Amino acid sequence: MASLATKNRLRAVRKLGLVPAVSLFALSLAPSAALAADPVKNTNSVSTPDKKKKKNPRKAVPLTAESISVVGMGSTRQVQALGKEQFSTYVAGTNPMKMLNQLPGVTFMSSDPLGIDIWSWDLYIRGFEVGELASTIDGIPAMDVQNFVSQSNLGHVSVSQGAGGVDVPSVTNLGGHIGWSTDTPKDRYGGTISQTFGSYAAYDTFVRFDSGQIGKHGTKFFVSYDRASEGQWVGGGSEFREVVNAKLDQPIDEHSHLKAFFAWAYNSSDPYPDLSMNILNTLGQRITYYKPNYAAAYRAALAAQGLPGGSYPAGYDLLQDPADASYYDGPNRFSNYMAYVKYNNQLTNRLNLDASFYGLGRAHHGLWATPYMDAPNGSPLTEQDFVNMGQEGGLTASFKYRLAKHLIEGGVWYDHTNDDYTKRYYEEPVLGEGAPLNSLNPLPSSAYYGSPYNIGYHFDTLQIHLQDTYKPVRNLTINAGFRSIIYSGTSHIIENDPSYTGQSSLPHGTLHYNSAFLPQVGITYRIDHNNELFFDFSKNMSVFGPGSYNSSSPWGAADWATFNYIRNNIQPESDYVYEVGYRYSSPWVRGLVDLYHTDYRNRVGSITVGSIVDSESVLANLGSVQMYGVDTSLTVTPVTGLDITNSFSYNSSKYDNDVTTDGVTYALKGKSEVNYPHYMYKSTALYTWKEISANISAAYTSARPLSYVNDVIVPGYWLVNTGASYRVPKKIGPGHLTISFTVYNLLNDKYIGQLGENGNPMSGDYQSFNMGAPRTFYGSLSYHF
């Protein structure tokens, strides 16, 4: 496993909340209703005026985009969506990212059943990790939806797997866009109260109030509170989250509209332990943190430092690195908020304005009790706190103009971000002289004894885009556009302790990443009412984000020489994405075949070098990567109310070059990309009859490489989930009661979930994966009025 410093740096980078071939399957479970309430918009169609409405011509010509059908029919990119019916098959309080796992080409991995634990979950789409995708909430750039919105307040999500549109506000958009949309406040007065209980003391309590339309102007809003917790299936820790959401919908006049949204969320979680194949094969999957056994952690820390009285638990002497196998604790605490105001104005019957102003904030504490650093009070344990404080604000604005058979759109996105990274040391008590620190709460100032560094960042992003959707004939739609990005980042050193960093001056400065022309072209040809062909091409770029000291980031470099080398030799990742496919849609059969190719340039990897006992993480240019793949899906509705979907995904992503790092050349050429499977098969059946609904799903994920040269492979696995719900037909008071029951991992399979949370080794084993959750049961009562 990694050294202390590496563990710290990687924890800080991996989970600071940084800046996370979808197909027919998404909407096939609810062919008509999923998007009815709040349709997904797409900028690829041209509307025609309603000539009968002469009194108000502006209102008659909404410059909206096409609505995405059950298989993405009409879209020039392959875009799929999930709606309320799909969301309802998951337990209340589930991480919304987990709900995307039902889509072909998507893999979500987590150690805790609900996906609350920030450290142990990750998501990939066609080999792109969540941090390489664009993610928005109501069009506002935000990476992790569970840190802002309750699952029960989501209206729908649209996923563009090949590439996001040129209008998406993002500088990390290499492989697609996840667009979350929040619920619109309901027109009628009412609310929801739901309560869920489950295995390992899990619960979720959700309360929402809708005002309904107030007064003649149609004002409406909702407010909600969500509180969830679950115990760990191994160890004595827990995961906790609470979310507050509020949304206002205000028509101003017949031509303009205002919406406002606020979110606040708090998350504290004890992580699941990081494992290696050596640990897994020697001690099994149920190894965990020492907490709450402080005495065992204390003795292990003494042993790690070679001090008298030290000892490890039974069996640890068989490990390659017993000191690094377990720690006393390692929790994370997050606080996040978001606020935005969105304004829409139908200026004329041809021209429409959309504008948004937003602000986001975050505070993250990533802690762990290190056994490698003794405290001033004589304790062999020091609690380290990696702190990231960030604020972000910006605006988006776009104009849409209809001209004959064209829908022309131009827009701008500006974002300013401040980030501050620091590390703090706190004394753990000498054994028998006080209680250990409770790192799930703010740590007392009396235990603080130093900070090795504090780094500040300022980032400015300006993106402009222009696109035209042209419909020369009824069955043909052509979309072409581009975006331009100007990105600047500046770091400054607030505090530096040379005794820790070994540097009298930490690297700092300004980096610029600009791209004047990132084009996209998409074509859809509708053969007839049921059959459609599509093609899409785009060029994308992703810039480097901030990082704490020595954290595989240009600003986190260990010294000036490394910083200058990275700045001069490692360019931002870019890629060319090609996609071609066929869609079929009818009331009883929906199908998709989607072939894609991605040509990576300057593929960057966080790699570990050295032995498993003493390893370091470095940022390396892995050269180019060639990705080829196909996503297929078929849904049949043999009888009314029954949808059966089968999907298959194949992905081949291989490196083009050997890599030399730390003086060693590794035969990387032709090896598969780490952490992502070659094959995925998913099958789901959903049946609804009157007030009863039942579903069952099975998914196979093939083997995945842990090391870059593919000499360590983790095995594939099956997962089966099932659930049912019953809506009591007779009203109870003013509303209806729904009862539901869900089982995750029905067959209780043992499998490796997330890979690479601490980076990946070039070769060999490494302590950088988590086990998946065992079988869990959940029951819910939900009352809607």
Side-chain angles (χ1 to χ4, degrees):
M1 169 48 185
S3 65
L4 162 68
T6 302
K7 184 84 172 181
N8 284 343
R9 298 163 198 150
L10 289 170
R11 276 187 178 276
V13 173
R14 176 64 182 82
K15 290 298 176 185
L16 279 174
L18 297 179
V19 250
V22 277
S23 72
L24 148 76
F25 181 77
L27 281 179
S28 61
L29 300 181
S32 60
L35 302 181
D38 193 5
V40 179
K41 294 183 178 181
N42 180 309
T43 57
N44 300 332
S45 70
V46 180
S47 56
T48 56
D50 184 349
K51 297 181 180 178
K52 295 181 180 180
K53 296 183 179 180
K54 295 182 179 180
K55 292 184 178 180
N56 187 5
R58 285 192 282 172
K59 191 174 182 179
V61 193
L63 297 180
T64 61
E66 69 191 348
S67 293
I68 297 172
S69 71
V70 286
V71 293
M73 298 288 283
S75 173
T76 56
R77 300 187 308 278
Q78 180 48 35
V79 182
Q80 289 282 249
L82 297 173
K84 284 287 190 181
E85 277 198 59
Q86 289 76 43
F87 296 164
S88 68
T89 64
Y90 288 82
V91 176
T94 297
N95 183 345
M97 290 289 192
K98 183 174 182 176
M99 300 188 296
L100 302 181
N101 197 53
Q102 61 188 284
L103 303 174
V106 178
T107 175
F108 177 92
M109 302 148 290
S110 177
S111 286
D112 75 290
L114 300 181
I116 298 177
D117 178 21
I118 298 292
W119 177 256
S120 74
W121 75 260
D122 209 348
L123 178 134
Y124 283 81
I125 299 178
R126 288 185 178 177
F128 294 96
E129 198 263 345
V130 65
E132 300 167 320
L133 307 170
S135 182
T136 57
I137 299 174
D138 293 337
I140 304 302
M143 187 58 67
D144 186 357
V145 65
Q146 87 154 343
N147 279 339
F148 297 104
V149 186
S150 297
Q151 172 200 348
S152 300
N153 288 332
L154 290 171
H156 62 263
V157 58
S158 62
V159 181
S160 173
Q161 64 184 30
V166 297
D167 57 336
V168 174
S170 172
V171 290
T172 60
N173 178 16
L174 281 175
H177 169 225
I178 305 172
W180 301 93
S181 295
T182 58
D183 256 347
T184 297
K186 293 180 172 54
D187 291 335
R188 298 184 62 180
Y189 171 89
T192 299
I193 302 172
S194 70
Q195 182 65 59
T196 298
F197 293 103
S199 302
Y200 305 103
Y203 74 84
D204 178 82
T205 303
F206 176 77
V207 180
R208 168 169 157 166
F209 168 75
D210 280 86
S211 68
Q213 292 190 357
I214 303 173
K216 62 181 181 179
H217 298 294
T219 303
K220 55 183 178 179
F221 66 87
F222 75 73
V223 293
S224 71
Y225 175 71
D226 191 1
R227 184 183 182 94
S229 177
E230 60 178 342
Q232 290 185 321
W233 55 269
V234 55
S238 63
E239 326 296 334
F240 173 80
R241 188 192 71 243
E242 57 183 340
V243 182
V244 174
N245 289 156
K247 190 172 185 178
L248 170 72
D249 190 309
Q250 176 64 64
I252 299 175
D253 56 34
E254 57 186 347
H255 306 303
S256 57
H257 207 101
L258 186 71
K259 294 183 179 181
F261 180 77
F262 173 79
W264 173 86
Y266 175 77
N267 181 307
S268 66
S269 59
D270 288 306
Y272 287 85
D274 302 321
L275 303 181
S276 64
M277 296 304 293
N278 172 250
I279 294 174
L280 180 61
N281 294 332
T282 304
L283 297 180
Q285 68 169 347
R286 289 192 171 267
I287 187 173
T288 185
Y289 286 83
Y290 290 112
K291 184 181 178 180
N293 191 344
Y294 185 70
Y298 197 92
R299 290 190 295 268
L302 293 173
Q305 298 179 35
L307 298 174
S311 64
Y312 295 112
Y316 275 53
D317 58 316
L318 302 175
L319 299 175
Q320 293 174 308
D321 184 12
D324 208 33
S326 297
Y327 302 97
Y328 174 66
D329 68 359
N332 286 275
R333 301 198 310 268
F334 287 84
S335 294
N336 294 272
Y337 69 82
M338 165 193 280
Y340 72 69
V341 175
K342 301 176 75 72
Y343 174 72
N344 172 268
N345 194 323
Q346 191 77 41
L347 300 171
T348 72
N349 66 332
R350 294 180 180 272
L351 182 63
N352 188 83
L353 166 67
D354 286 291
S356 302
F357 299 89
Y358 65 88
L360 299 94
R362 60 183 170 272
H364 170 237
H365 294 262
L367 305 106
W368 73 295
T370 169
Y372 299 97
M373 180 180 295
D374 55 349
N377 63 356
S379 169
L381 289 168
T382 286
E383 191 76 31
Q384 300 186 74
D385 184 5
F386 294 85
V387 184
N388 169 225
M389 309 294 287
Q391 302 83 38
E392 181 177 357
L395 63 89
T396 66
S398 67
F399 288 91
K400 296 183 180 72
Y401 184 73
R402 184 182 63 82
L403 178 64
K405 296 181 178 182
H406 297 265
L407 180 62
I408 302 169
E409 181 193 354
V412 62
W413 167 49
Y414 172 73
D415 182 275
H416 177 76
T417 300
N418 293 320
D419 267 302
D420 187 272
Y421 290 82
T422 188
K423 184 179 181 180
R424 299 168 183 167
Y425 294 145
Y426 293 84
E427 294 178 326
E428 287 285 4
V430 173
L431 188 63
E433 296 183 8
L437 301 176
N438 182 1
S439 301
L440 291 174
N441 295 324
L443 299 181
S445 58
S446 58
Y448 172 79
Y449 73 87
S451 176
Y453 63 80
N454 191 343
I455 306 174
Y457 294 91
H458 304 290
F459 297 95
D460 288 284
T461 302
L462 177 65
Q463 174 180 289
I464 61 172
H465 73 273
L466 180 66
Q467 63 179 334
D468 178 21
T469 301
Y470 176 49
K471 210 170 179 65
V473 294
R474 186 178 64 177
N475 291 352
L476 179 65
T477 303
I478 303 171
N479 174 262
F482 73 94
R483 60 189 178 120
S484 301
I485 296 175
I486 301 174
Y487 180 86
S488 175
T490 300
S491 66
H492 59 280
I493 307 304
I494 302 171
E495 185 177 357
N496 172 43
D497 183 353
S499 65
Y500 172 84
T501 64
Q503 305 294 319
S504 59
S505 174
L506 293 181
H508 62 278
T510 300
L511 299 179
H512 300 279
Y513 299 113
N514 305 323
S515 182
F517 188 66
L518 295 171
Q520 183 173 93
V521 177
I523 301 172
T524 296
Y525 178 70
R526 171 128 347 154
I527 302 171
D528 55 32
H529 183 71
N530 303 113
N531 299 274
E532 184 175 85
L533 300 173
F534 66 92
F535 167 79
D536 180 61
F537 162 78
S538 65
K539 180 183 179 183
N540 309 292
M541 181 187 78
S542 178
V543 305
F544 293 121
S548 57
Y549 170 69
N550 202 6
S551 62
S552 296
S553 160
W555 291 276
D559 51 49
W560 278 101
T562 304
F563 174 79
N564 289 326
Y565 174 82
I566 293 174
R567 178 167 57 180
N568 296 329
N569 293 277
I570 298 183
Q571 300 301 314
E573 293 177 291
S574 63
D575 63 19
Y576 297 85
V577 177
Y578 307 82
E579 188 175 30
V580 61
Y582 163 76
R583 304 180 182 111
Y584 177 83
S585 179
S586 75
W588 307 109
V589 178
R590 282 85 65 196
L592 172 76
V593 178
D594 186 359
L595 294 89
Y596 60 90
H597 168 61
T598 300
D599 181 7
Y600 283 103
R601 306 294 173 87
N602 300 309
R603 186 65 165 141
V604 175
S606 175
I607 64 176
T608 56
V609 296
S611 69
I612 193 171
V613 176
D614 186 17
S615 59
E616 291 294 332
S617 176
V618 298
L619 201 65
N621 189 333
L622 303 177
S624 60
V625 177
Q626 300 297 317
M627 179 190 293
Y628 296 88
V630 59
D631 291 323
T632 64
S633 181
L634 180 67
T635 295
V636 296
T637 305
V639 296
T640 301
L642 174 62
D643 285 305
I644 301 173
T645 298
N646 287 276
S647 67
F648 175 79
S649 301
Y650 168 77
N651 179 282
S652 174
S653 181
K654 296 184 177 181
Y655 301 100
D656 284 345
N657 311 97
D658 294 339
V659 170
T660 299
T661 183
D662 200 34
V664 179
T665 298
Y666 294 90
L668 202 62
K669 184 176 181 179
K671 297 299 191 297
S672 296
E673 194 166 6
V674 295
N675 303 333
Y676 193 73
H678 278 304
Y679 307 97
M680 284 188 286
Y681 169 74
K682 301 177 182 181
S683 180
T684 297
L686 174 64
Y687 181 63
T688 301
W689 180 72
K690 295 184 178 180
E691 308 297 337
I692 300 174
S693 178
N695 67 87
I696 185 168
S697 64
Y700 174 72
T701 301
S702 70
R704 294 162 290 160
L706 175 64
S707 63
Y708 282 95
V709 298
N710 298 175
D711 57 350
V712 176
I713 307 289
V714 304
Y717 61 93
W718 281 92
L719 275 183
V720 178
N721 302 320
T722 188
S725 66
Y726 174 67
R727 182 176 181 266
V728 179
K730 186 176 181 180
K731 276 190 173 184
I732 300 174
H736 284 276
L737 178 68
T738 300
I739 305 168
S740 60
F741 182 74
T742 305
V743 184
Y744 286 158
N745 193 1
L746 177 66
L747 303 181
N748 202 29
D749 287 308
K750 296 179 174 62
Y751 65 98
I752 293 173
Q754 182 193 4
L755 289 183
E757 71 267 25
N758 290 324
N760 296 81
M762 290 302 299
S763 177
D765 194 9
Y766 188 54
Q767 192 171 335
S768 191
F769 64 76
N770 296 132
M771 296 302 297
R775 178 170 51 224
T776 48
F777 302 88
Y778 301 91
S780 301
L781 295 174
S782 182
Y783 184 71
H784 303 271
F785 63 94

